């Protein structure tokens, strides 16, 4: 068990490694010299509803002029942005051009387990996965990423991720900017570490196994410290925290406010005025930023103190943000670019308050390290296992069954650390966070929630999953997921 002595020893060891987790590699550079790369837009309709992707290794320039090994989907890093329309069927062919097994999971999509792309949908090297699906859920910024059993963290770290814009062509009517790459920008934010020669560094040590992999530089769409020219008006930013483990708190260096318009799986009921926003790994927000004053402004990674409320101070410190604001990228308004929208809409078509009265049953999930007999030091020496409700992930064990067409209330608790909790095959609502009602920007459709202590979720099941292709529910700290903080369930 976790003894006081092992806790103290563990804390000391953590303290020495602690410096390595802070952002700060970026500090020396505040020259925003690279133009923000915009992932190619692949519009399903324009492609005759057939999309081909190849997972492959190639050379990518995180900094201009120094290509290094990375992975991408039909790209040197990350993958194209896929624009799908609600209700339209698209065929996909995904070829594995890597030397290792992979899968492609549609994170945030409500799809049958058979095409969900979790660990049971593995694609062997040289083979292709053919599938087709249509999405019938509200417009949202969802994403896709590799999800192979036990190797998700490293493959995503190397670049196997991309965005999906699910649309109903209604954004003009909503008064929202929607010109991709002009006033509607995708921003995939990820922290990465680099070796001296510029290549991607990934720490496989016990520290990363326990805390997750933390890099010292926050990159955007695969570029270090980029800048973007944007119109002198309202601009929509689609933010994804694609980091393996780092929770980000984002804001602007001049303190300007912005409006959140959508969370993970759809629009909010109305825009929410904020000065900063927290994104745990896997979370998305769409925000509107007003650049009509014409000033250049930097997006920053800000101080925060996210961590388990019950956790040790040292663990809290390790999950916290940078010790001072770190610039991530710069926006440069350009008066020659067309301004489509000037006004923040007053209302959006997000969901009204959740109704928990018809829920079929309650479930509990406790996210915890599996200390067993080894204590903290044992964990740090390696072999760290993570679990949910005292069990580590087993691909051959279905943990529970939910009834198709029902809604459940889940109580999720974190132990030792804050964990971003994700459920496949559904969009859920947050009923409460640590006993209180969620703030407005967390009150919409979600598929990841940062659990610092206890959250209550209302989870509907509208997509089926059988025991051959069950859904996953897991911590979105990818090293925790790979270490077993994942369960699987059927919906029948
Ligand atoms: Cu984004 Cu199971 O993951
Ligand atoms: Cu998912
Ligand atoms: Cu976790």
């Amino acid at each position: 068990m976790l003894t006081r002595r092992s806790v103290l020893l563990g804390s000391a060891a953590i303290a020495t490694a602690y410096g390595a987790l802070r952002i700060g590699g970026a500090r020396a550079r505040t020259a925003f010299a690279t133009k923000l790369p915009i992932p190619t837009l692949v519009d399903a309709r324009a492609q005759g509803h057939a999309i081909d992707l190849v997972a492959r290794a190639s050379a990518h320039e995180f900094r201009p002029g120094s290509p290094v090994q990375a992975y991408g989907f039909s790209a040197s890093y990350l993958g194209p942005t896929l624009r799908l329309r609600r209700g339209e069927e698209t065929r996909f062919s995904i070829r594995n051009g890597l030397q290792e097994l992979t899968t492609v999971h549609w994170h945030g999509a409500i799809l049958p387990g058979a095409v969900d792309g979790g660990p049971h949908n593995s694609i062997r090297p040289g083979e292709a996965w053919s599938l087709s699906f249509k999405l019938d859920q509200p417009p949202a910024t969802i994403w896709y990423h590799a999800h192979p059993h036990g190797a998700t963290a490293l493959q995503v770290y190397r670049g196997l991720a991309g965005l999906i814009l699910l649309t109903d062509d209604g954004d003009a009517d909503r008064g929202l900017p929607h010109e991709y790459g002009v006033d509607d920008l995708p921003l995939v934010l990820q922290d990465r570490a680099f070796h001296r020669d510029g290549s991607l560094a990934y720490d496989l040590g016990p520290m990363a196994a326990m805390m997750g992999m933390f890099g010292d530089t926050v990159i955007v769409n695969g570029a270090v410290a980029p800048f973007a020219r944007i119109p002198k008006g309202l601009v929509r930013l689609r933010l994804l925290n694609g980091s393996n483990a780092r929770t980000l708190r984002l804001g602007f260096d001049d303190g300007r406010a912005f409006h959140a318009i959508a969370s993970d799986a759809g629009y909010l009921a109305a825009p929410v005025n904020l000065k900063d926003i927290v994104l745990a790994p896997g979370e998305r927000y769409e925000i509107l930023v007003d650049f009509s004053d014409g000033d250049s402004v930097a997006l920053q990674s800000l101080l925060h103190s996210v961590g388990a409320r019950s956790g040790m101070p040292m663990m809290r410190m390790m999950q916290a943000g940078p010790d001072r604001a770190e610039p991530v990228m710069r926006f440069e308004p350009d008066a020659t670019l067309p301004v489509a929208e000037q006004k923040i809409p007053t209302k959006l078509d997000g969901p009204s308050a959740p109704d928990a009265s018809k829920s079929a049953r309650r479930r509990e999930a406790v996210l915890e390290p599996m200390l067993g007999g080894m204590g903290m030091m044992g964990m740090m020496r390696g072999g760290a296992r993570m679990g949910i409700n005292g069990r580590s992930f087993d691909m051959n064990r279905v943990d529970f069954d939910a009834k198709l067409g029902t809604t459940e209330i889940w109580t999720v608790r974190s132990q030792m650390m804050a964990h971003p909790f994700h459920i496949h095959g559904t969009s859920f609502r947050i009923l409460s966070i640590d006993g209180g009602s969620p703030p407005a920007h967390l009150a919409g459709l979600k598929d990841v929630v940062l659990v610092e202590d206890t959250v209550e979720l209302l989870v509907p099941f509208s997509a089926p999953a059988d025991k051959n292709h069950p859904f996953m529910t897991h911590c979105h700290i990818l090293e925790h997921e790979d270490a077993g903080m994942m369960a699987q369930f059927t919906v029948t």
Side-chain angles (χ1 to χ4, degrees):
M1 280 323 296
L2 184 62
T3 64
R4 186 174 155 75
R5 189 177 140 74
S6 70
V7 167
L8 291 175
L9 282 170
S11 299
I14 291 167
T16 31
Y18 169 57
L21 303 189
R22 308 314 294 252
I23 307 180
R27 210 162 268 167
R29 54 92 186 140
T30 12
F32 299 93
T34 316
K35 192 157 183 284
L36 176 73
I38 301 291
T40 309
L41 181 68
V42 171
D43 184 292
R45 197 184 273 171
Q47 304 274 316
H49 296 100
I51 293 176
D52 291 353
L53 295 173
V54 184
R56 56 175 165 87
S58 60
H60 177 71
E61 298 185 10
F62 293 94
R63 291 183 175 84
S66 37
V68 296
Q69 276 291 302
Y71 285 177
F73 290 110
S74 307
S76 61
Y77 185 77
L78 301 176
T81 297
L82 312 181
R83 183 191 275 153
L84 306 181
R85 278 177 191 74
R86 183 175 188 169
E88 290 186 8
E89 182 101 11
T90 304
R91 283 172 290 122
F92 295 85
S93 164
I94 296 157
R95 208 161 60 74
N96 182 358
L98 303 169
Q99 310 285 3
E100 56 184 308
L101 213 107
T102 193
T103 82
V104 178
H105 166 56
W106 318 100
H107 177 133
I110 303 173
L111 288 171
V115 292
D116 181 58
H120 296 268
N121 286 119
S122 56
I123 316 167
R124 285 198 293 252
E127 296 192 347
W129 184 37
S130 298
L131 71 154
S132 79
F133 63 72
K134 72 170 175 228
L135 293 171
D136 187 16
Q137 63 187 88
T141 302
I142 58 183
W143 61 305
Y144 59 100
H145 62 79
H147 209 309
H149 180 48
T152 297
L154 190 50
Q155 288 193 8
V156 172
Y157 189 81
R158 288 181 168 155
L160 291 186
L163 287 176
I164 296 176
L165 314 187
L166 175 60
T167 175
D168 62 358
D169 291 321
D171 283 354
D173 292 341
R174 290 184 184 96
L176 297 175
H178 57 278
E179 193 70 38
Y180 182 77
V182 180
D183 59 12
D184 179 355
L185 302 187
L187 301 182
V188 180
L189 299 148
Q190 299 171 303
D191 65 332
R192 291 294 181 263
F194 297 95
H195 290 122
R196 231 174 252 134
D197 65 0
S199 58
L200 268 182
Y202 187 82
D203 174 12
L204 289 165
M207 190 65 187
M210 188 175 63
M211 300 303 302
M213 170 66 198
F214 283 74
D216 59 10
T217 305
V218 178
I219 64 173
V220 190
N221 298 347
V224 175
F227 68 88
R229 297 228 163 79
I230 33 87
K232 258 184 84 179
L234 268 194
V235 173
R236 172 186 194 164
L237 304 177
R238 300 180 189 249
L239 308 170
L240 160 67
N241 184 351
S243 301
N244 280 30
R246 182 181 294 281
T247 291
L248 296 166
R249 177 172 160 245
L250 300 171
F252 293 94
D253 66 345
D254 63 356
R256 75 178 56 197
F258 54 86
H259 286 83
I261 55 167
S263 57
D264 302 339
Y267 293 116
L268 299 169
V272 180
N273 192 267
L274 296 168
K275 285 202 152 179
D276 60 82
I277 194 159
V278 170
L279 283 92
E283 281 191 304
R284 290 89 67 207
Y285 279 104
E286 296 180 28
I287 65 172
L288 293 181
V289 190
D290 187 351
F291 293 107
S292 57
D293 60 9
D295 293 345
S296 285
V297 56
L299 181 70
Q300 294 184 314
S301 164
L302 302 169
L303 290 63
H304 68 73
S305 59
V306 156
R309 303 232 192 277
S310 62
M312 292 170 285
M314 191 56 70
M315 301 289 270
R316 275 197 84 84
M317 254 164 80
M318 289 173 47
Q319 277 196 293
D323 48 21
R324 62 173 158 138
E326 284 284 337
V328 171
M329 68 169 290
R330 189 161 63 194
F331 294 94
E332 297 173 1
D334 178 342
T336 67
L337 294 171
V339 172
E341 302 294 344
Q342 303 265 33
K343 255 185 54 235
I344 309 281
T346 52
K347 277 191 57 134
L348 293 162
D349 46 345
S352 49
D355 176 11
S357 68
K358 285 187 204 67
S359 58
R361 59 167 296 164
R362 285 184 171 266
R363 248 178 249 283
E364 288 216 16
V366 182
L367 311 173
E368 56 197 347
M370 311 282 290
L371 290 172
M374 50 183 189
M376 284 283 281
M377 282 312 277
M379 260 182 73
M380 294 195 58
R381 274 194 299 269
R385 289 302 291 168
M386 299 281 163
I388 298 183
N389 293 340
R391 298 207 285 194
S392 237
F393 182 66
D394 178 347
M395 212 161 146
N396 299 311
R397 181 193 70 225
V398 170
D399 294 280
F400 60 91
D401 176 66
K403 288 285 155 247
L404 187 63
T406 66
T407 297
E408 301 187 346
I409 296 176
W410 288 18
T411 305
V412 188
R413 262 184 264 283
S414 279
Q415 232 126 72
M416 302 252 294
M417 288 174 63
H419 300 281
F421 182 70
H422 170 52
I423 313 175
H424 286 214
T426 183
S427 309
F428 56 74
R429 306 291 297 280
I430 301 174
L431 295 174
S432 71
I433 299 181
D434 304 346
S437 32
H441 67 287
L442 285 166
L445 295 168
K446 296 281 294 163
D447 50 58
V448 179
V449 57
L450 182 65
V451 184
E452 296 186 78
D453 184 37
T454 305
V455 301
E456 267 189 313
L457 310 175
L458 188 65
V459 193
F461 297 101
S462 62
D466 66 20
K467 63 178 192 330
N468 296 319
H469 296 97
F471 286 134
M472 305 293 134
T473 179
H474 59 88
C475 175
H476 222 286
I477 292 177
L478 299 179
E479 288 74 17
H480 289 180
E481 176 199 324
D482 283 344
M485 192 174 277
M486 176 153 76
Q488 50 187 0
F489 63 98
T490 51
V491 178
T492 57

